[in-house]
Amino acid sequence: MSDRLPGFSTLAVHAGAQPDPTTGARATPIYQTTSFVFNDADHAASLFGLQAFGNIYTRIGNPTNAVLEERVAALEGGTAALAVSSGHAAQVVVLQQLLQPGDEFIAARKLYGGSINQFTHAFKSFGWNVVWADPDDIASFERAVTPRTKAIFIESIANPGGSITDIEAISTVARKAGVPLIVDNTLASPYLIRPIDHGADIVVHSLTKFLGGHGNSLGGIIVDAGTFDWSTGGKYPMLSEPRPEYHGIRLQETFGNFAFAIACRVLGLRDLGPALSPFNAFMILTGIETLPLRMQKHCDNAKAIAEFLSGHPAVASVSYAGLANDKYNQLARKYAPKGAGAVFTFSLKGGYDAGVSLVSKLQLFSHLANVGDTRSLVIHPASTTHSQLDDAAKTKSGAGPDVVRLSVGIEDEEDLIADLEQALSA
Amino acid sequence: MNHDAYPDNYIRAILNSVKSIAMVGASPVNVRPSYFAFKYLAQRGYDMIPVNPGHVGKELLGRPFVASLRDLGRPVDMIDIFRNSSHIMPVVEEALTLDPLPKVIWMQLGARDDAAAEKAEAAGIKVVMNRCPKIEYGRLSSEISWMGVNSRTLSSKRPPAPTQGMRLSLNRMSVGGGDTAASDRAAKNKSEQS
């Protein structure tokens, strides 16, 4: 019964999970049920009124999902978490708690393309206005702050180029502006970077990527750092004001340093509905148990491949923060000393045609639109995800016609290098 | 005692040893946090006494309100103060006139008065500040994990099956389960600013 703090790998295996009290099952059971019986009418009323802890309906909470939530909260050093159906769902649920129609949030320009679409188009129809800033120019975040700013959103390791964001510098801007800093930590995973240690107030993930790790289950998660004071100035009424849907409860005063996670659950997930399947939660939990082992192998392979590509005559440039001469190497050493991730881009001297040719000749790398799988993945953005853009727009978003993106898997590095070698030289 | 981060064993020992709790500022309004906490602790077997001069003559879940700590008429193990930080000191001073003294003075989530805590500790009373006993009970029994909350405990032991519905044991064997140090730091910064 000591208060000794366990290490990351111990938490990855144990946090949130204990033997099932009824059956003794050691693995976390899949509670594949929509609903849970109440003890009596008073118990039901207490649960619906948020007065008791417990299960009601899987759209609001599920015991398998709860294990996943506690585990990721523990790995990130947060007070609580909420699992949802995808990383995109996590972003909608987070911003729904923070923004009213007409409000703004500042987002780093370097983001996953899907997030850029979601922020630019889908959120516009909710009246949530994104203002872009440049993560390589911290002052651009300060300049973007207005009285309507409600949050700042960045990626710890940015997709697709693998650049590292100066989380502490941007958290200082957020604190000064009195708004929470949201960090998408998908490409780093808490094994490489724990954004809360650097000033993040909210962490989101696509669990689909490195946390689940096996390319078999979609999921997303929101982690509450328990660091932001939602009570001041009525700026965040979802948390600070009496909620009519819960008979006038104020979530911050009732739930303290995990009020944001509760708001996401009882106002966001309950009403928007993007619940995670307990089966997916089970698959992702199983993946997380080996996260430290996989993530290190991903990073070691990625570094070896980046070094190989840097020396290859067909390659014009490699953008990987783990390389000593990379623009982001200093930030990588500070924020991600164990490795700079496993998603990066490189450009080919042969341009667009060389990119198409490379992708078609690779035998082990799979040509598809995902990252963070055990398998190595490749995509040529100019002929696929970014094909609708003109060349200037492609280049601006880091997806010029000559650019290829890799997500390096956990196969033997010699085999991956041999595959690239034959595809580049053929 | 370091009031920025309490060891789990400190909180566990308090919740395991106290039997009677006088709740100062208990509200009969069923959306107030004090009502939730009062009901939850009563359901877990604590002998609860509501203290609130505005409701004398009424009952809270079958227990009659008393006006002040002087009116308790019997010894209590713990005083749980549901008042803002600025109203803590008079309550603690009143508690220090009781004979016998309470063993524990607990100040609710958001409430902290270091000078009052020092006075109580000088009299041999254990103090907890800026915590909720309901949340701490839920955390240490792992019941709160159902809400996705980081209980900061780990256990490989099979817990006893819940009895009487959702009631779990507080006495499960567990080890520390990771930090939420950022949250503690934020709370400390806030208390230093105010």
Side-chain angles (χ1 to χ4, degrees):
Chain A
M1 303 254 282
S2 77
D3 279 345
R4 184 180 176 284
L5 282 180
F8 189 88
S9 297
T10 303
L11 291 177
V13 172
H14 286 282
Q18 60 179 338
D20 183 66
T22 313
T23 62
R26 188 62 189 90
T28 297
I30 303 171
Y31 290 94
Q32 191 69 26
T33 180
T34 55
S35 359
F36 302 84
V37 291
F38 307 117
N39 302 340
D40 51 41
D42 180 59
H43 179 228
S46 296
L47 287 174
F48 277 108
L50 303 182
Q51 296 173 12
F53 311 119
N55 300 298
I56 300 174
Y57 193 68
T58 289
R59 197 183 70 248
I60 304 167
N62 175 281
T64 310
N65 298 20
V67 174
L68 172 63
E69 288 158 353
E70 183 172 3
R71 183 161 305 168
V72 177
L75 292 175
E76 289 284 8
T79 52
L82 175 72
V84 293
S85 57
S86 71
H88 261 35
Q91 292 171 180
V92 180
V93 168
V94 163
L95 291 178
Q96 187 219 4
Q97 311 320 312
L98 304 179
L99 272 71
Q100 305 291 315
D103 283 343
E104 296 170 2
F105 68 108
I106 302 168
R109 203 180 294 282
K110 283 188 187 165
L111 290 187
Y112 163 53
S115 295
I116 293 176
N117 275 333
Q118 187 190 41
F119 293 180
T120 307
H121 303 295
F123 287 177
K124 197 175 172 188
S125 67
F126 299 165
W128 305 343
N129 301 313
V130 62
V131 179
W132 300 105
D134 179 0
D136 295 336
D137 173 15
I138 302 301
S140 70
F141 283 83
E142 284 181 71
R143 286 195 300 273
V145 174
T146 76
R148 300 227 69 158
T149 305
K150 293 296 177 71
I152 297 179
F153 186 101
I154 59 174
E155 290 180 356
S156 54
I157 299 182
N159 194 346
S163 58
I164 311 282
T165 306
D166 192 346
I167 303 170
E168 284 175 17
I170 297 173
S171 86
T172 304
V173 177
R175 198 161 309 119
K176 231 170 93 187
V179 302
L181 175 64
I182 308 162
V183 178
D184 181 343
N185 199 31
T186 298
L187 290 193
S189 89
Y191 175 73
L192 296 179
I193 300 176
R194 298 209 320 167
I196 291 171
D197 293 344
H198 302 291
D201 300 297
I202 297 161
V203 174
V204 293
H205 280 278
S206 167
L207 296 168
T208 314
K209 312 302 187 309
F210 291 103
L211 281 165
H214 294 71
N216 58 27
S217 304
L218 290 184
I221 203 158
I222 300 155
V223 181
D224 184 351
T227 48
F228 196 83
D229 181 3
W230 306 103
S231 63
T232 48
K235 205 166 165 183
Y236 299 99
M238 296 287 266
L239 288 122
S240 66
E241 300 309 305
R243 294 310 309 172
E245 55 274 73
Y246 289 103
H247 312 295
I249 283 182
R250 295 170 198 263
L251 293 177
Q252 158 125 32
E253 78 171 356
T254 306
F255 295 103
N257 66 8
F258 56 93
F260 185 76
I262 295 291
C264 288
R265 182 184 302 278
V266 305
L267 302 176
L269 185 58
R270 187 196 70 159
D271 293 347
L272 299 176
L276 179 69
S277 152
F279 180 78
N280 281 22
F282 171 83
M283 296 299 284
I284 294 162
L285 265 176
T286 305
I288 289 175
E289 292 179 7
T290 57
L291 174 70
L293 300 171
R294 286 186 290 106
M295 210 62 209
Q296 193 60 57
K297 179 71 171 160
H298 278 294
C299 290
D300 295 348
N301 278 357
K303 183 147 193 267
I305 288 172
E307 281 166 357
F308 160 76
L309 290 170
S310 301
H312 198 282
V315 172
S317 67
V318 178
S319 160
Y320 181 61
L323 294 175
N325 60 353
D326 190 84
K327 185 180 170 191
Y328 298 99
N329 190 250
Q330 276 302 108
L331 287 170
R333 282 170 194 275
K334 174 177 178 180
Y335 287 104
K338 292 201 281 278
V343 177
F344 65 92
T345 55
F346 63 101
S347 61
L348 292 164
K349 289 178 183 162
Y352 183 92
D353 294 339
V356 173
S357 160
L358 174 76
V359 166
S360 68
K361 284 178 182 147
L362 284 165
Q363 298 297 317
L364 281 176
F365 284 80
S366 304
H367 181 206
L368 55 76
N370 189 30
V371 296
D373 195 323
T374 49
R375 286 154 281 265
S376 289
L377 314 174
V378 63
I379 200 158
H380 178 226
S383 61
T384 54
T385 52
H386 292 63
S387 55
Q388 74 278 19
L389 304 179
D390 60 35
D391 279 3
K394 281 174 185 160
T395 305
K396 202 175 163 197
S397 62
D402 53 343
V403 171
V404 173
R405 184 187 75 187
L406 298 182
S407 170
V408 179
I410 59 172
E411 302 96 330
D412 287 305
E413 76 179 47
E414 298 80 4
D415 295 332
L416 297 175
I417 289 173
D419 192 26
L420 286 162
E421 177 92 79
Q422 64 81 21
L424 285 168
S425 60
Chain B
M1 178 52 55
N2 170 11
H3 291 288
D4 296 317
Y6 300 105
D8 284 352
N9 282 341
Y10 180 72
I11 301 288
R12 190 184 278 116
I14 287 172
L15 292 176
N16 266 329
S17 62
V18 304
K19 291 185 173 59
S20 51
I21 302 175
M23 185 182 282
V24 177
S27 170
V29 179
N30 70 1
V31 299
R32 299 300 304 156
S34 62
Y35 176 89
F36 293 7
F38 189 95
K39 183 176 178 183
Y40 182 91
L41 295 171
Q43 284 174 340
R44 269 137 199 84
Y46 293 104
D47 172 14
M48 301 298 295
I49 307 162
V51 183
N52 191 329
H55 297 287
V56 174
K58 290 185 245 169
E59 291 187 340
L60 183 50
L61 302 172
R63 284 107 175 144
F65 276 98
V66 299
S68 73
L69 293 176
R70 274 187 303 278
D71 302 317
L72 288 172
R74 60 184 173 104
V76 291
D77 298 326
M78 176 164 127
I79 292 168
D80 183 11
I81 309 176
F82 258 93
R83 302 295 310 273
N84 293 336
S85 299
S86 56
H87 295 101
I88 296 289
M89 186 59 97
V91 180
V92 169
E93 283 171 346
E94 195 180 0
L96 288 172
T97 68
L98 297 176
D99 183 23
L101 289 172
K103 299 186 184 77
V104 179
I105 292 180
W106 190 302
M107 303 172 202
Q108 202 48 41
L109 204 56
R112 177 164 179 158
D113 181 338
D114 285 275
E118 212 169 297
K119 260 190 186 177
E121 285 175 329
I125 296 171
K126 286 184 181 170
V127 175
V128 177
M129 298 192 286
N130 190 27
R131 293 287 187 281
C132 171
K134 175 190 172 189
I135 289 171
E136 293 303 302
Y137 194 109
R139 187 174 71 78
L140 293 171
S141 67
S142 85
E143 186 187 25
I144 204 169
S145 300
W146 288 330
M147 305 295 283
V149 174
N150 185 359
S151 70
R152 288 177 279 134
T153 63
L154 302 180
S155 177
S156 64
K157 297 284 181 269
R158 180 174 174 173
T163 55
Q164 299 178 41
M166 297 298 186
R167 196 173 301 177
L168 295 183
S169 167
L170 193 59
N171 294 331
R172 69 194 201 112
M173 294 292 292
S174 66
V175 296
D179 72 290
T180 53
S183 170
D184 292 336
R185 276 198 304 277
K188 188 176 180 215
N189 291 342
K190 193 187 170 194
S191 74
E192 280 169 0
Q193 281 161 16
S194 62

